[in-house]
Amino acid sequence: MINEISHVGLTPAQGSSRAIDVPALPQHGGKDISGAPVSATEQPLTSHAGFAALASVKDAAGDLALSIRLGQQSLQQAAALVQEMRQNAQTILKNYPPFPPGNEQRMNYLNSIVGLRRQLEALTFPPVESAAAPVYYPRPSDLPALDVNTVSDQELRVFAQALDRTQEKLTAGLAALRAQARAGA
């Protein structure tokens, strides 16, 4: 990179009137500080062992932080989808007078619930080789399937109760993820 003010990095052919001499690094000639000869295979290991140890610790901490961050984002998105499904189910159940079975608004809410459930299924999968242990990922079996055309209010109540349990599991999963983050720090 060229520093445009001092022209550091430019060669005389690129417009700088002066060339910058960079001193050569001292060569030890294959000897350690005491002057004892060091084999070619030992030299890189001893000179980079400390750095490699620090780098591996730093990489492990970075992997853990990334895994926790991605897990938290996934759980927060899942919680938002579950909350939206709960609101749609409660809208259908608490509407007075109740929606008749073939009502267009009821169908729109049910289609929205089914679409959100598909998004949740696409979102929830356990991470592969994660540095953080998985805390909770909703499974399709956690929520009963809804048939938009034939769902009754009782089936919708059972679905809403399953959403409540799923919301509690997601909240517990976020708390467990925070505990892992504190333990990893």
Side-chain angles (χ1 to χ4, degrees), residues 54-69:
L54 290 175
S56 68
V57 169
K58 181 183 174 219
D59 290 344
D63 290 346
L64 177 65
L66 178 64
S67 178
I68 288 172
R69 188 177 315 117

Side-chain angles (χ1 to χ4, degrees), residues 82-173:
V82 168
Q83 181 64 30
E84 192 171 345
M85 283 190 282
R86 282 181 71 220
Q87 288 173 350
N88 289 341
Q90 292 300 324
T91 300
I92 294 171
L93 292 173
K94 292 187 176 185
N95 189 45
Y96 188 80
F99 290 118
N103 189 318
E104 186 178 335
Q105 283 182 316
R106 177 183 169 95
M107 296 298 283
N108 287 340
Y109 283 119
L110 289 171
N111 284 328
S112 175
I113 290 171
V114 170
L116 291 169
R117 186 172 189 266
R118 284 189 198 126
Q119 286 181 15
L120 183 66
E121 288 174 5
L123 180 73
T124 56
F125 58 92
V128 178
E129 298 182 18
S130 171
V135 288
Y136 175 70
Y137 295 93
R139 293 165 193 76
S141 61
D142 291 343
L143 300 174
L146 293 178
D147 183 13
V148 178
N149 298 320
T150 61
V151 68
S152 68
D153 285 347
Q154 182 59 29
E155 290 172 329
L156 201 55
R157 280 188 191 87
V158 169
F159 185 80
Q161 290 169 351
L163 286 173
D164 291 338
R165 288 189 301 274
T166 301
Q167 186 72 34
E168 290 169 4
K169 289 179 182 179
L170 286 169
T171 303

Side-chain angles (χ1 to χ4, degrees), residues 18-78:
R18 62 183 197 270
I20 297 176
D21 294 326
V22 178
L25 294 175
Q27 299 294 325
H28 296 292
K31 297 182 180 181
D32 66 3
I33 296 174
S34 66
V38 177
S39 71
T41 58
E42 280 185 54
Q43 191 170 3
L45 294 177
T46 57
S47 64
H48 298 293
F51 175 74
L54 290 175
S56 68
V57 169
K58 181 183 174 219
D59 290 344
D63 290 346
L64 177 65
L66 178 64
S67 178
I68 288 172
R69 188 177 315 117
L70 292 175
Q72 181 181 9
Q73 288 173 354
S74 175
L75 288 175
Q76 286 174 340
Q77 288 174 348

